[in-house]
Amino acid sequence: MSQSLGKKPGERRRRDARACETDPQVLSKAPTTAAPTLVLGALIVSGAGRAEVASRQTLGWGFAARASASEFDGTRHDGLWNSSHADVAGSAALSAGTVQVSFTPRSAAGRQTIAHFYSSAVPESGVILGIDATSIFWRVGADEVTVPVSLTLNRAHQIHATVTEGRLRIFLDASPVYFGDSIGFLASVAGVNSFDIGGRNTGGQDSYADFFTGTLQRLTVLDGPLTPSEMKTVNQNNRFPVALDDFSALAAQVSPTKIAPATWVFTGDSITNGNVHTYGMRSWSEQFAQRLVEIGLGDDTVINTGISGDTSVATSTTLGVNTRFEDRVGAYDPDVVVVMLGMNDSSTALGIARETYLANMGEIVDKIREVGATPVLAASNPICSEAEAGQRSAYPAYVQGLRALAASKQVVLVDHFADWLTQPGGAMPTAWFGDAIHPNGLGHWQLTRTLFQTIGGWDPASGIGAESDTPVNGFIEGSALELPLTTALTQSYGYGFCGAFDGSRVEDRSVDLAAYPMHRQFEGTYAVKFTTSSAATGVLLGISDSTRSDTALTIRSVAGGVRALITRGGMVLLDLDSGDLGLADGAQHTVMLSAGNGTTRLTVDGRVVGFSATQRFGADAGSADTLTVGALKNDSGTSTGFVGSIAWVYALTEPTEPVQQFTLTGGNAVSRSADLTQLLGTLSQTGASWQQFESRPITILTEDLQAPSGGWRRWTDNLQELHRGERNYRQDYVVTVNPGATSVSARVGWFLAQGRLSASRMVILQALDADLAAAGEASSYRTLLTGAVTTLRSATRLPVLMTSVTADAETNSAMRCAAAASGAVLIDSEAEALQVGSGAVPASWLKADELSALGHERVTFRVLKDLGIWAGSDSLADSHPLAPARGVLAVPGGALTVKAGGSVVVPVSVAIDGTAHDVAFGIHAAGGAAEVTDISGATVSGSTGRDANLSIGGAHSGTVQAVATVRVPADAVVGSTVQVVINASLGNQRARFPGKVVNLSVVCGDTSMPLREAGSRNERTGP
């Protein structure tokens, strides 16, 4: 049964009102727990982002479903005239809010009024929401905004006109079609006491024009904005939601109850690529993947093919998504494709006209539908620098064109541009930027949040990472900006031999031990270059006690493999046996035994063939006094003679890893394996520029690889950061997949069956305890792994095996054995952990039995080393979190006073500890209540306005000072406080000081400016 507003004296109810219904009830929501305030960059933001406060309905007017009264024939209207009802008065008082209408047009003729709010005394100055054949219009008094759209006759539509933070946003069917400065809301019209639907009042009770033809189901006024998810959901605020058809498909893809895993492709430019400016935090596609894991959709695959600098169509310097659609999108057989482009298209440097950009974006949408996927368009964030905005001054127009394109093609649009400019306070959210254009980690978190709020799958109670995962521009405890490849290697012994060993010959070099006591080393490397065709056991190198046969260190050739054995007093201290590696092939090989950092490693030709989490070396042989080559010599005589030839024996003072062994030169040089040679050729290409490089994606096959807390990246994401970003192989996409398979063979079979992953050249298989459990025993697991390597090679893929820090030792041992037996390249991340932890995984690498942020960072280092793409001069700087700055940021202490309409000088300074740096200051007038009119120092670049910045180039030490002049508007309320947020960074250290707040107290009299040092020293050395 429909309800109606009670009739008040002096108001006139429209005819047919008995069929109307209204429900002016206020929807309430329990207040959310206040998140801690974090000072990030130059803006104070809540740790939980935008507060999840439900907008309240202040007026509802409409009809029951299929009620005849909802039909308007172009001659009638409905509403309240000259009403004193509280809901009309409450709505009339709103300076911001939303007008929501649900309707079905049946005629395209002329201007048609959907809703009219006005004063009965002056109806022509009211607020009107209406349509004509090709547009939506929003009129406040004499000002009007007209938005071209495509309305379908006889089809239900819904319009939301929202004014918030001084901006107007218009949505059609839950998709944004307009964004711009507000021209006002209901409170902008004096004395509103009437409203109509279906016609525009022209004066008096019965004078109307611009009638609507069709169904008007419901008019609602709310006191705040709605998210697209709320717009398309049935609730008390929205009884007849209408949304684009694609919303249903997208909602199904983020439903935890869906059956088939989906493939999501994110493509675009550097913002989607997400490198450098996130400082080690997850990009929005990576945050999206993490949210999928949290809602039980971890088997979905998220692929990022964004390329820094890219555009919609190819230019002389860009590839263009439309031009290279197959490489970027089509090859992956996606289910959903998210495209965010336009920032570079709008640049005057590239000269892509707006019409050209929109035409290519339209073709991209068409191609996405042709491959059977659902397209999602995204408008990039705004630009926060006036200087940068100059080159891209047309960017807002490109975004508005994208809104129109999305509406015309019925495509869901995620409007980050509007979302960022309508945050509480209305100010540019500078804390979300890494530079003038690119979001930082917090900005990417917001991009993900808006995406989920648009397509569905957002839960305010949990957010992303239960909201505690909100990225904060901090640092990873214990990390280092630069991890050196190696220290200098020092040779402690070397001896060359010519001729063959026949099993009876022994070369006794004990005399050398006096000058070169290699037998006394507790750490270092022993190496032997040898050739054999015999499967017989023979000692290559022996360090023994001449008086007893139960104490020795030997490196042996055994049945096509090698073995390292250390005994003392009959006790076996180390026994590493590679098994048959096919070394009895008449070719030269190099075997190395390396010990240090609590571990011992046996390698052949740079391949790890044996590993121990204990450190054992020459000195562990106790009283050894004999050095022999070709056989073992002790009190029992000479034994275990070698058959073959030995070219060179040497020792190094330092322990070595495979990646270091390949740097040795001359007689110490180690040849790379066939797989590693092929791998280096795959990961490194030659050409005039990266645009000419072939796309060679990398696939990582794993299960349930967890992202670390705090918003930091996984090692897989760090890999793409360094390889695609810092090494500039922009088309070598890194794809991490979780097939949900129960064995390694099933996982490889699944991979090869996926045509969408056929472009991948290299496949990384990570050790998983579940695979060992499925195989039953280690030997069976090794067999499955070697079989997987063979299968991948036969499919022209390059297999790479990888141990895991969180896997059991038996699982990792089987992985090493499989790599040794098959000749596959091995990434030994467990060895990295045990070396750093002197035989135990460092506690700082783990959190709740999963890799911590530091663990992921150090695994990345190991991956890059073992893949051979890490140089001693490299660092993880661009993928690294910001370091805490050393020094003192000083701002005025206490409140500064400033009169309304006046200005105040705010001095700031940084006292730098140690090394000289360049300095950047950021000054933000929070809430838009003031602006910086001048900022000066030893400047090379700067800007003023609500968000000001000053870059002081060069190498500075000691104290660096700057002065900002902040003006308060004339209408500032006396007694109020205006906040100015200051931050500073040492640019060439990628280090920032925590932001500080200066309070400006608005007074009537003269200003004063007390100053005291308010900084605090940060003694951390940082990453």
Side-chain angles (χ1 to χ4, degrees), residues 537-558:
T537 299
V539 170
L540 299 169
L541 173 68
I543 297 175
S544 59
D545 186 332
S546 60
T547 64
R548 49 192 307 172
S549 59
D550 59 359
T551 297
L553 177 154
T554 58
I555 300 176
R556 311 176 182 216
S557 170
V558 181

Side-chain angles (χ1 to χ4, degrees), residues 90-98 163-167 182 184-188 223:
S91 299
L94 295 176
S95 59
T98 298
V163 172
T164 180
E165 305 299 346
R167 311 281 188 167
S182 171
F185 200 62
L186 303 189
S188 302
D223 66 358

Side-chain angles (χ1 to χ4, degrees), residues 522 524 526 552-556 563-568 570-577 592-596 598-603 610-618 620-621:
F522 283 95
Y526 298 148
L553 177 154
T554 58
I555 300 176
R556 311 176 182 216
R563 182 184 182 189
L565 181 66
I566 300 178
T567 60
R568 185 173 64 200
M571 179 183 297
V572 176
L573 302 181
L574 179 76
D575 190 355
L576 299 177
D577 191 338
M592 290 184 166
L593 181 67
S594 177
T599 63
T600 309
R601 173 187 293 107
L602 183 66
T603 63
F611 182 84
S612 172
T614 57
Q615 180 174 326
R616 295 288 183 263
F617 208 51
D620 291 294

Side-chain angles (χ1 to χ4, degrees), residues 53-68:
V53 178
S55 295
R56 300 179 306 160
Q57 177 180 300
T58 60
L59 180 97
W61 189 267
F63 308 91
R66 294 177 296 280
S68 60

